[in-house]
């Protein structure tokens, strides 16, 4: 039997600071049976939100993370009813993400490692999302749509790598939504994308937006530019529906933007599914919380005789537990990151990570 | 519609006039964009492919109608253009036999009712509806192209077949046999390079969705007659890779002559290869692109496109800037 393992995970690649503690129960070493499910002992998060009309800046975000990480770790241990000696390994987000926030969290992780004398594992943020999604939903080999403020990728597993089949050629879809929220001065609390979603539910006029799907890739900066143009016209009062002459509202613009970009995401996911021969879809990342994208994906998957797997906001939105989980998977096959290598990087491709813990 | 039953959403329903085809078309695959059926054109001796693009329930009807019509017309125009290129022997595409860009549109004397996709009871905005009208426009019902049936297998199937054969037989394959198969795979890759070059430089077309699923290998005429089709699943033989390359699925194709677009076309193929055929990934650049019998050696201007491809590769996001 293997030993039970407990990991502490620290995540702060964007404006969400997450701390999580996970336990992998013992299991027979060379069993072909699936591992018993991981136990989540603690999963807490503190989000930094800029005022409406602004985005979060690296230096302010890093300051927020530095302010809160110590108390969040203490809170996490208390919630899990553990002490530092119970932790086997400290996992942190090596990248990708924003430089200053990543650095702050990496420093915290290194400090804990030295204080408590524990090994460390640096984790790829995208891999964290994927592995946590698989763990929570039980999806065995889905096509993964990873959509957040910082990333938009369609991924499928093959030969020890999560290979990127399609991605955005410029900005992430979440970034497009967040920046449009800024244009409309929508509050950033709890998340700009969430607020756009609520407004979109009340919109019903679909305007023309450039639909930019190129094979399995897509691009959003043109759409954002056009949307910003519409918003400017709307502010002047000159924007009306070409068919009915009705005035266009912010709700209509949010509706238009969501319907267009989500159609694009569903399309590239469907392409990957057709190419790979899969009918399972797993949606991870902050934008995955959006009910409309889940609904659209469900409709597409249903027509193909498949299904959609999605998690709730505890795991969709950046969190520490996914880092702890992915780090522990690596640790369990003997991987650690030496202190001198516990750096962080803004550029870290999902397919650069060797997935040694899967044997399919 | 004379009976009073409310319309229901359907999947896999054929568009008119194929509802009356006998024998009925057989569904081959459900791709991302379209349902591909095998049927016949006029009589049974001419096999044909029906590519039916149903409307997608997840998309807003306005967006859906616009995209479907645009794509089916663009695809047909590109196919007709490429079929008309007479001075490129290696450039082969399916011929277009028939087309409808909006099954729901009213055509005098042709019925025009078609297959209608309606969300039963409610449209996307929650407004109750029992009929075909949403926002004052008829709900899109899909589009179709009827085209020539291409015998043979896709490059994806063939390479997968080679991988499986190698895995299945392992040590039992002689060095000689291994080298022959490797040689055949490389020759296939070079032929792909030449065909893509012909499409770019003679056809003036950029495919837009080059993957190994969209490149077919058709056995040559004499082999078809002899019945030496492509043998797969035979225990000791690898799949037969010989034949002529035929490109299919031009649903995202554009008529472009820009180096940038051609380079992106190659990039899409390169990435698709890397994700689906990791074992042959290393040979891709050398055989398909750089070889004198591949993309590079075929036409003047290919080297400019390949240089541009180097820039396109660096555009992958979050790519480490080292090396």
């Amino acid at each position: 039997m293997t030993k039970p393992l407990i990991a502490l995970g620290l995540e702060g690649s964007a404006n969400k600071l997450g701390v999580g503690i996970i336990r992998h129960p013992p299991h027979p070493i060379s069993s072909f049976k699936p591992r018993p499910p991981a136990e989540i002992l603690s999963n807490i998060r503190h989000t930094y939100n800029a005022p409406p009309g602004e985005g979060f800046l690296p230096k302010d975000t890093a300051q927020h993370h530095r302010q809160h990480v110590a108390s969040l770790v203490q809170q996490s241990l208390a919630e899990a009813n553990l002490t530092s000696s119970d932790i086997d390994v400290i996992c942190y987000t090596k990248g990708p993400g924003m430089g200053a926030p990543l650095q702050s969290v990496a420093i915290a992780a290194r400090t804990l490692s030295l204080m408590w004398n524990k090994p460390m594992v640096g984790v790829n943020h995208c891999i964290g999302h994927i592995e946590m999604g698989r763990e929570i939903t039980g999806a065995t080999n889905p096509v993964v749509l990873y959509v957040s403020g910082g990333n938009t990728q369609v991924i499928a597993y093959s030969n020890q790598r999560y290979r990127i089949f399609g991605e955005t050629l410029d900005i992430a879809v979440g970034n497009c939504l967040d920046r449009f929220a800024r244009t409309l001065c929508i509050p950033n609390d709890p998340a700009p994308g969430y607020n756009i979603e609520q407004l979109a539910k009340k919109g019903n006029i679909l305007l023309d937006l450039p639909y930019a799907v190129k094979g399995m890739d897509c691009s959003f900066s043109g759409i954002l530019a056009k949307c910003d143009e519409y918003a400017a016209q709307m502010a002047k009062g000159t924007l009306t529906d070409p068919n009915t002459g009705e005035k266009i509202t912010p709700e209509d613009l949010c509706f238009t933007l969501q319907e267009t970009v989500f159609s694009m995401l569903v399309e590239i996911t469907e392409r990957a599914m057709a190419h790979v021969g899969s009918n399972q879809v797993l949606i991870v990342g902050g934008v995955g919380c959006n009910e409309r994208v889940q609904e659209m994906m469900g409709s597409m998957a249903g027509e193909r005789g498949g299904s959609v797997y999605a998690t709730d906001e505890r795991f969709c939105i950046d969190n520490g537990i996914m880092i702890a989980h992915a780090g522990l998977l690596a640790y369990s096959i003997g991987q650690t990151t030496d202190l001198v290598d516990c750096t962080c990087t803004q550029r870290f491709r999902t397919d650069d990570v060797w997935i040694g813990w899967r044997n399919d | 519609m004379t009976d009073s039953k409310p319309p229901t959403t359907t999947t896999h329903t054929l568009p008119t006039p194929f509802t009356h085809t006998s024998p009925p078309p057989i569904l081959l695959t459900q791709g991302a964009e379209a349902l591909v059926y095998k049927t016949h054109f006029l009589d049974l001796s001419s096999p044909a492919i029906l590519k039916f693009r149903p409307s997608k329930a997840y998309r807003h009807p306005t967006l859906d109608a616009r995209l479907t019509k645009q794509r089916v017309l663009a695809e047909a125009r590109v196919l007709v253009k490429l079929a008309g290129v007479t001075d490129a022997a290696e450039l082969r595409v399916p011929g277009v036999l028939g087309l409808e860009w909006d099954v729901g549109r009213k055509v005098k004397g042709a019925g025009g009712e078609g297959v209608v996709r309606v969300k039963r009871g409610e449209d996307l905005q929650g407004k109750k509806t029992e009929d075909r009208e949403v926002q004052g426009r008829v709900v899109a019902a899909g589009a179709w192209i009827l085209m020539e049936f291409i015998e043979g297998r896709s490059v994806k199937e063939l390479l997968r077949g080679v991988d499986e054969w190698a895995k299945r037989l392992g040590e039992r394959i002689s060095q000689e046999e291994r080298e022959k198969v490797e040689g055949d795979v490389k020759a296939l890759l070079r032929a792909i390079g030449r065909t893509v070059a012909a499409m770019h430089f003679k056809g003036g077309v950029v495919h837009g969705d080059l993957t190994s699923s969209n490149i077919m290998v058709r056995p040559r005429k004499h082999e078809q007659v002899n019945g030496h089709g492509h043998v797969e699943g035979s225990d000791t033989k690898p799949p037969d890779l010989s034949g002529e390359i035929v490109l299919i699925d031009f649903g995202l194709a554009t008529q472009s002559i820009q180096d940038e677009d051609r380079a992106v076309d190659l990039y899409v193929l390169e990435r698709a290869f890397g994700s689906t055929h990791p074992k042959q990934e290393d040979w891709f650049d050398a055989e398909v692109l750089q070889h004198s019998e591949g993309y590079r050696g075929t036409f003047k201007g290919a080297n400019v496109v390949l240089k541009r491809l180097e820039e396109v590769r660096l555009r992958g996001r979050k790519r480490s800037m080292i090396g």
Side-chain angles (χ1 to χ4, degrees):
Chain A
M1 293 282 270
T2 62
K3 281 166 54 278
L5 290 173
I6 297 184
L8 174 77
L10 296 164
E11 152 62 31
S13 57
N15 64 330
K16 277 81 73 183
L17 175 66
V19 177
I21 302 180
I22 203 165
R23 179 175 184 270
H24 285 183
H27 60 99
I29 292 180
S30 45
S31 162
F32 291 119
K33 289 209 279 265
R35 256 189 321 105
E39 292 158 26
I40 296 163
L41 305 177
S42 168
N43 185 17
I44 47 182
R45 174 172 62 222
H46 203 277
T47 308
Y48 169 67
N49 282 316
E54 292 174 33
F56 53 88
L57 296 171
K59 67 178 186 341
D60 301 328
T61 314
Q63 183 178 48
H64 164 269
H65 291 354
R66 288 194 301 271
Q67 254 177 298
H68 289 95
V69 65
S71 57
L72 224 59
V73 170
Q74 283 172 322
Q75 214 184 309
S76 193
L77 284 170
E79 205 177 279
N81 213 2
L82 297 171
T83 63
S84 61
S85 53
D86 299 313
I87 307 285
D88 292 303
V89 60
I90 295 179
C91 312
Y92 77 102
T93 309
K94 195 169 171 66
M98 296 169 79
L102 278 173
Q103 279 259 48
S104 301
V105 173
I107 290 172
R110 279 180 249 147
T111 311
L112 290 174
S113 162
L114 287 171
M115 265 170 42
W116 297 345
N117 196 20
K118 303 286 177 187
M120 292 183 72
V121 175
V123 177
N124 177 306
H125 181 90
C126 317
I127 304 286
H129 273 294
I130 297 171
E131 288 297 351
M132 201 65 212
R134 285 180 61 230
E135 179 72 24
I136 293 294
T137 62
T140 44
N141 200 8
V143 163
V144 180
L145 175 67
Y146 170 31
V147 273
S148 68
N151 294 282
T152 296
Q153 302 173 2
V154 175
I155 294 156
Y157 172 78
S158 163
N159 269 20
Q160 319 302 132
R161 301 248 175 214
Y162 284 112
R163 294 179 192 267
I164 301 176
F165 271 72
E167 58 185 325
T168 172
L169 297 171
D170 41 49
I171 57 176
V173 64
N175 192 220
C176 178
L177 294 167
D178 291 350
R179 278 158 72 171
F180 188 59
R182 262 182 257 168
T183 308
L184 294 182
C185 262
I186 293 171
N188 287 324
D189 192 5
Y194 177 80
N195 294 329
I196 290 201
E197 182 182 356
Q198 305 316 311
L199 284 177
K201 286 179 185 170
K202 300 187 222 142
N204 46 37
I205 302 176
L206 188 87
L207 296 173
D208 239 338
L209 284 179
Y211 187 90
V213 166
K214 296 163 198 204
M216 298 240 220
D217 294 327
C218 50
S219 117
F220 297 102
S221 55
I223 297 177
L224 178 61
K226 188 73 187 167
C227 257
D228 284 347
E229 220 182 272
Y230 280 144
Q233 288 173 17
M234 180 182 71
K236 282 207 247 146
T238 55
L239 191 63
T240 55
D241 179 5
N243 290 325
T244 63
E246 271 179 68
K247 270 213 160 29
I248 301 290
T249 60
E251 286 81 357
D252 292 324
L253 285 184
C254 291
F255 174 71
T256 297
L257 180 58
Q258 278 203 171
E259 291 298 306
T260 310
V261 300
F262 291 164
S263 291
M264 287 164 57
L265 293 177
V266 174
E267 181 174 337
I268 60 173
T269 309
E270 186 167 23
R271 268 183 219 291
M273 286 166 74
H275 191 60
V276 158
S278 161
N279 63 6
Q280 290 182 330
V281 185
L282 170 64
I283 315 181
V284 300
V287 180
C289 293
N290 187 303
E291 286 170 358
R292 181 68 187 131
V293 82
Q294 289 180 14
E295 187 190 339
M296 288 168 83
M297 198 66 80
S299 166
M300 178 277 285
E303 284 189 6
R304 303 185 67 84
S307 44
V308 178
Y309 296 84
T311 58
D312 61 39
E313 56 84 34
R314 288 173 294 164
F315 308 104
C316 256
I317 302 184
D318 290 347
N319 57 84
I321 201 81
M322 70 189 193
I323 303 298
H325 178 61
L328 205 48
L329 289 171
Y331 184 69
S332 65
I333 57 164
Q335 288 179 8
T336 54
T337 315
D338 294 333
L339 187 67
V340 71
D341 296 322
C342 283
T343 51
C344 45
T345 170
Q346 287 189 246
R347 299 164 196 274
F348 193 177
R349 297 280 287 172
T350 313
D351 45 21
D352 273 348
V353 179
W354 186 68
I355 310 293
W357 53 85
R358 284 181 71 157
N359 48 24
D360 52 346
Chain B
M1 310 271 183
T2 48
D3 67 282
S4 53
K5 280 208 302 273
T8 50
T9 8
T10 50
T11 47
H12 302 272
T13 305
L14 291 163
T16 54
F18 299 96
T19 40
H20 305 298
T21 310
S22 175
I26 306 164
L27 181 67
L28 291 183
T29 63
Q30 183 170 5
E33 292 284 296
L35 294 150
V36 177
Y37 292 88
K38 184 162 181 201
T39 180
H40 55 268
F41 176 60
L42 300 179
D43 68 61
L44 288 166
S45 66
S46 312
I49 288 285
L50 171 65
K51 188 167 170 181
F52 174 46
R53 290 173 178 271
S55 55
K56 297 278 188 183
Y58 69 82
R59 285 201 280 243
H60 190 285
T62 314
L63 188 57
D64 188 61
R66 185 176 16 122
L67 283 175
T68 311
K69 174 177 173 182
Q70 197 185 319
R71 287 179 178 176
V72 107
L73 289 176
E75 182 169 5
R77 286 174 183 142
V78 158
L79 282 173
V80 169
K81 182 177 190 196
L82 289 178
V85 170
T86 46
D87 56 348
E90 290 196 286
L91 178 59
R92 290 175 215 91
V93 297
V96 176
L97 303 167
L99 149 77
E100 174 54 75
W101 70 80
D102 181 0
V103 175
R105 73 187 172 113
K106 295 197 189 323
V107 177
K108 280 198 190 123
E113 292 303 305
V115 169
V116 179
R117 167 163 248 113
V118 176
K119 270 190 138 123
R120 189 172 162 243
E122 263 194 14
D123 70 8
L124 282 172
Q125 291 78 44
K127 296 193 202 116
K128 296 268 179 264
T129 174
E130 287 293 320
D131 60 25
R132 297 159 53 176
E133 300 279 307
V134 173
Q135 279 191 344
R137 304 183 64 219
V138 174
V139 175
W144 54 265
I145 302 185
L146 188 68
M147 58 180 104
E148 181 195 345
F149 179 78
I150 306 293
E151 302 274 345
R153 310 195 103 100
S154 69
V155 166
K156 177 173 163 203
E157 287 175 306
L158 290 172
L159 290 181
R160 283 261 162 97
V162 169
D163 286 346
E164 268 154 39
W165 166 81
K167 189 167 166 193
R168 203 171 45 230
L169 293 177
E171 298 299 311
R172 288 182 280 159
I173 305 173
S174 67
Q175 181 64 5
E176 203 190 302
E177 214 181 350
R178 199 183 289 277
E179 278 172 16
K180 175 174 186 302
V181 170
E182 208 178 279
D184 286 343
V185 170
K186 288 184 176 173
L188 176 66
L189 295 178
R190 291 195 291 272
I192 293 172
R194 290 197 296 278
T195 306
V196 173
M199 176 185 67
H200 284 176
F201 293 97
K202 286 288 175 186
V205 162
V206 162
H207 188 282
D209 193 11
L210 277 174
T211 67
S212 51
S213 314
N214 290 339
I215 306 173
M216 302 286 293
V217 178
R218 175 168 64 188
R220 293 178 208 281
K221 279 283 176 306
H222 62 271
E223 281 164 16
Q224 284 173 16
V225 169
N226 287 349
H228 287 170
H230 287 253
V231 179
E232 207 207 72
S234 143
D235 280 336
T236 51
K237 279 180 175 307
D240 184 1
L241 301 176
S242 63
E244 35 187 38
I245 306 276
V246 184
L247 299 175
I248 61 169
D249 197 356
F250 285 80
L252 290 181
T254 51
Q255 298 189 22
S256 166
I257 55 168
Q258 310 276 3
D259 292 325
E260 166 74 21
D261 296 334
R262 289 168 176 170
V264 170
D265 216 20
L266 294 177
Y267 183 61
V268 168
L269 181 60
E270 186 176 64
R271 291 281 303 281
F273 239 83
S275 331
T276 324
H277 307 288
K279 293 196 171 39
Q280 287 86 17
E281 192 177 359
D282 297 330
W283 298 340
F284 183 85
D285 189 51
E287 302 295 327
V288 178
L289 300 178
Q290 308 300 340
H291 204 279
S292 57
E293 284 171 25
Y295 191 88
R296 182 181 280 279
T298 341
F299 293 101
K300 217 170 105 160
N303 53 332
V304 179
V305 174
L306 289 170
K307 190 93 185 79
R308 193 58 181 264
L309 174 60
E310 285 170 34
E311 283 172 47
V312 173
R313 281 181 188 135
L314 293 176
R315 286 185 213 148
R317 296 179 81 241
K318 316 239 188 255
R319 215 169 262 298
S320 102
M321 299 308 242
I322 304 164

